[in-house]
Amino acid sequence: MSDLPHQILSALDKAPNGTIEDTKTAFPGVSTEQVQAAVTSLAAKSMVTFKAKEQDLWTLTAEAEDIVSNGSHEIRLYDEVVKSLEGLKISEVGKVLGPSGKLGQQRAFKNGWVRKDGDKLVKNVEEKPVDTTAQDLLAIKKEGTLADAKELADLKKRKLVTKTKLLSFAISKGPEFALEIQKLETDVTIEMIQSGAWKTAKFKPYNFSAEGASPGAGALHPLNKVREEFRQIFFSMGFTEMPTAQYVESGFWNFDALYVPQQHPARDLQDTFYLKNPTKADLPEDKKYLENIHAVHETGAYGSIGYRYPWKTEESQKLVLRTHTTAISAAMLHKLAKDPKPARYFSIDRVFRNEAVDATHLAEFHQVEGVIADYNLTLGDLIGFMERFFAKMGVHQLRFKAAYNPYTEPSMEIFGWHGGLGKWVEIGNSGMFRPEMLESMGLPKDMRVHGWGLSLERPTMIKYGVSNIRELLGHKVSLDFIENNPAVRLDEDLV
Ligand code: PHE
């Protein structure tokens, strides 16, 4: 027996109009999937054309199958009544016919086949009636349906038939119809050109609806996509990127330079990761600067009374995984102090904090940080700048709340209105760097510096609808998620 595609071709060849009206009747017993695969492959070679047809298919329940083989309950009751010459005692019906006896009795009554005679059932018609129930069911078994819709509905109500959908196909000869299936060429080869075989070769037509093979290219992580958007915003506002490719910092740059006292809780082991090895960091070569920092912490300077505690060099020599990129901002400002002039710096990179990990926190995250140095800046300038900056990421309503940072005064938490969530969400921290920090570096008194920071993860999670940070970073991240996510537009509905 030849395979299904060949069977279809020879059936088409023999068919009167070159058409098979219904594959279900032409190829009974062959599954829809097999027929579909065969016709689509033949159609791809233009050997056939086809149309899918969906129709109702009625099938028999187990009870109905039993009726087809052994007759309906009512005809079985009639037979029993005829058999028992004296009539069938109503009380015996269950015993003789089993659980369906009562149903048979009801229907035989309704059909007028039997009547009551005292406590017995006797026949009401002489000739054995036609068992229409069994006949109809047999027809459905063969045809999959019944012409008499009312009867069909009745059988359905009696739970004798159930409806399913049937997919079948109407097939016609196509322009390339033949009884043999030619292997079609997919490429012109060197050999075909040399031998001239290409002139007679048959080529497979292009399938324009086939999905292309996906090129195995790399993909930017969503965090990197959002990072790139932020970089463009900074560049468009005249900022220069700071060199942040170094995760390990000294306690000096991470804390002391920022006027964070050596007893500050942020410096505790519970909050900061310290390195065991190497044990000591190099301190800045600018001895004057070191002395200034020492003095401003211990005794005060530049109009500040200081923290008044014994400042220890060893504390600032400890190595830490940086807890904020503000350590780099401090180093950049120290460089700027050699030749003070207005400047704008930014960075977007990783920072580390010894935090309990939960759905929205890891022990590391990315900080977006900006710093603006200029003469005679005011808090109003900072607020105005924040409004322009966040407007570029689609946040148009801001609120500021007084806050505390050891290195800024005043300090402000920034809140943005999140239209989607219908509430104010905290989006950043900001402030004006303290004179204790800036003047120690040698920056002129009238040069003020604004700074602010926010996390990269937060807007990324909002943008990509991620509620658990472990789906964004780490070993549980699905590669599909990385590869298939589109780029973002920060200026559209972030908040
Ligand atoms: N370093 C701050 C933080 O970790 C951000 C900040 C930077 C605040 C600069 C003020 C000035 O949140």
Side-chain angles (χ1 to χ4, degrees):
M1 190 166 170
S2 59
D3 61 324
L4 188 57
H6 280 103
Q7 283 179 45
I8 291 174
L9 293 175
S10 77
L12 273 177
D13 196 40
K14 286 178 204 134
N17 315 319
T19 298
I20 296 168
E21 287 303 338
D22 189 346
T23 49
K24 257 295 156 215
T25 34
F27 304 100
V30 182
S31 79
T32 304
E33 289 74 21
Q34 280 174 306
V35 175
Q36 190 166 23
V39 293
T40 36
S41 92
L42 290 172
K45 300 184 176 84
S46 303
M47 298 178 78
V48 303
T49 58
F50 72 92
K51 262 204 216 101
K53 314 197 287 186
E54 200 184 59
Q55 61 195 57
D56 291 342
L57 175 71
W58 294 91
T59 49
L60 305 193
T61 61
E63 184 186 355
E65 290 285 0
D66 178 51
I67 289 174
V68 169
S69 334
N70 304 315
S72 65
H73 308 309
E74 52 271 30
I75 207 79
R76 281 186 242 174
L77 182 108
Y78 180 84
D79 286 344
E80 282 305 322
V81 170
V82 173
K83 254 201 272 171
S84 52
L85 297 168
E86 300 290 296
L88 180 64
K89 268 196 169 169
I90 294 178
S91 55
E92 301 274 284
V93 167
K95 221 184 276 168
V96 181
L97 285 152
S100 57
K102 278 281 157 227
L103 188 68
Q105 180 187 323
Q106 271 170 27
R107 295 195 61 86
F109 257 127
K110 206 170 135 219
N111 291 352
W113 296 351
V114 297
R115 68 185 152 81
K116 257 191 210 171
D117 183 8
D119 61 350
K120 287 180 189 152
L121 293 173
V122 293
K123 63 180 176 182
N124 198 32
V125 287
E126 277 311 311
E127 283 217 9
K128 179 171 175 170
V130 179
D131 189 359
T132 44
T133 305
Q135 274 186 352
D136 287 347
L137 289 174
L138 184 63
I140 294 170
K141 191 179 160 110
K142 284 190 185 144
E143 310 290 331
T145 188
L146 194 67
D148 185 341
K150 222 179 118 214
E151 187 59 30
L152 190 60
D154 188 50
L155 293 171
K156 183 179 175 231
K157 216 164 99 198
R158 287 162 66 189
K159 297 201 168 60
L160 293 173
V161 292
T162 51
K163 188 168 81 172
T164 48
K165 291 279 177 200
L166 173 73
L167 184 66
S168 71
F169 303 89
I171 317 176
S172 304
K173 286 182 178 175
E176 299 291 325
F177 180 82
L179 280 175
E180 274 315 303
I181 301 171
Q182 267 195 339
K183 203 187 158 296
L184 295 179
E185 304 293 344
T186 49
D187 280 309
V188 185
T189 61
I190 298 173
E191 292 74 28
M192 286 161 88
I193 294 172
Q194 283 171 342
S195 69
W198 63 271
K199 287 181 215 162
T200 50
K202 290 244 173 197
F203 289 93
K204 197 172 180 181
Y206 278 107
N207 177 2
F208 292 106
S209 51
E211 267 185 50
S214 76
L220 279 186
H221 189 280
L223 276 173
N224 278 331
K225 289 182 184 149
V226 177
R227 178 176 190 261
E228 199 41 42
E229 287 296 308
F230 273 111
R231 291 181 81 228
Q232 295 313 320
I233 291 176
F234 278 114
F235 287 134
S236 77
M237 298 179 96
F239 283 76
T240 310
E241 195 161 17
M242 295 189 265
T244 47
Q246 174 188 314
Y247 295 163
V248 177
E249 272 297 345
S250 61
F252 181 84
W253 286 117
N254 198 78
F255 298 119
D256 296 284
L258 291 162
Y259 198 51
V260 180
Q262 295 187 331
Q263 312 74 24
H264 194 281
R267 298 178 80 143
D268 284 353
L269 277 173
Q270 298 95 290
D271 290 293
T272 300
F273 292 113
Y274 285 88
L275 269 73
K276 279 200 185 120
N277 201 2
T279 48
K280 268 188 194 171
D282 291 336
L283 292 179
E285 278 161 22
D286 183 348
K287 293 283 171 273
K288 178 89 187 82
Y289 178 39
L290 274 180
E291 273 167 34
N292 291 347
I293 288 292
H294 185 161
V296 80
H297 278 247
E298 200 166 294
T299 55
Y302 324 109
S304 165
I305 60 168
Y307 290 122
R308 286 169 287 168
Y309 70 96
W311 186 85
K312 290 203 197 85
T313 312
E314 303 83 71
E315 215 38 64
S316 60
Q317 283 173 315
K318 287 185 178 165
L319 286 140
V320 300
L321 286 183
R322 66 174 179 225
T323 63
H324 50 190
T325 43
T326 320
I328 292 101
S329 301
M332 290 299 287
L333 290 170
H334 174 248
K335 272 200 192 115
L336 183 71
K338 297 205 168 57
D339 178 17
K341 54 179 180 242
R344 292 180 168 203
Y345 302 131
F346 82 94
S347 68
I348 307 170
D349 213 333
R350 204 169 278 213
V351 300
F352 306 86
R353 291 183 191 177
N354 195 359
E355 273 190 280
V357 173
D358 65 23
T360 51
H361 294 90
L362 293 178
E364 57 184 87
F365 66 98
H366 294 76
Q367 208 163 41
V368 180
E369 172 150 334
V371 166
I372 300 176
D374 208 340
Y375 295 99
N376 299 314
L377 288 175
T378 65
L379 192 67
D381 292 321
L382 175 57
I383 291 174
F385 182 85
M386 288 295 109
E387 276 163 357
R388 288 195 299 284
F389 176 78
F390 282 100
K392 295 216 178 215
M393 3 178 322
V395 188
H396 297 283
Q397 289 184 74
L398 292 186
R399 271 185 186 174
F400 299 90
K401 181 177 157 192
Y404 173 76
N405 292 312
Y407 38 92
T408 53
E409 185 63 35
S411 310
M412 302 184 298
E413 273 169 7
I414 308 164
F415 291 79
W417 177 253
H418 191 299
L421 298 178
K423 62 176 185 185
W424 293 93
V425 295
E426 196 194 328
I427 50 178
N429 177 17
S430 66
M432 298 183 74
F433 287 113
R434 297 182 75 110
E436 287 93 332
M437 167 182 162
L438 301 179
E439 288 189 41
S440 298
M441 296 171 173
L443 281 168
K445 253 194 188 326
D446 55 352
M447 177 160 262
R448 308 274 153 73
V449 185
H450 293 154
W452 73 98
L454 56 137
S455 91
L456 181 65
E457 277 75 359
R458 185 153 200 169
T460 306
M461 286 172 79
I462 295 174
K463 271 286 169 189
Y464 287 98
V466 176
S467 56
N468 190 328
I469 199 155
R470 297 177 192 95
E471 284 161 28
L472 186 67
L473 269 176
H475 64 284
K476 285 192 179 163
V477 176
S478 117
L479 283 181
D480 244 25
F481 170 77
I482 307 289
E483 280 163 8
N484 299 330
N485 261 316
V488 288
R489 292 274 307 272
L490 278 185
D491 58 343
E492 277 176 5
D493 49 67
L494 169 65
V495 192

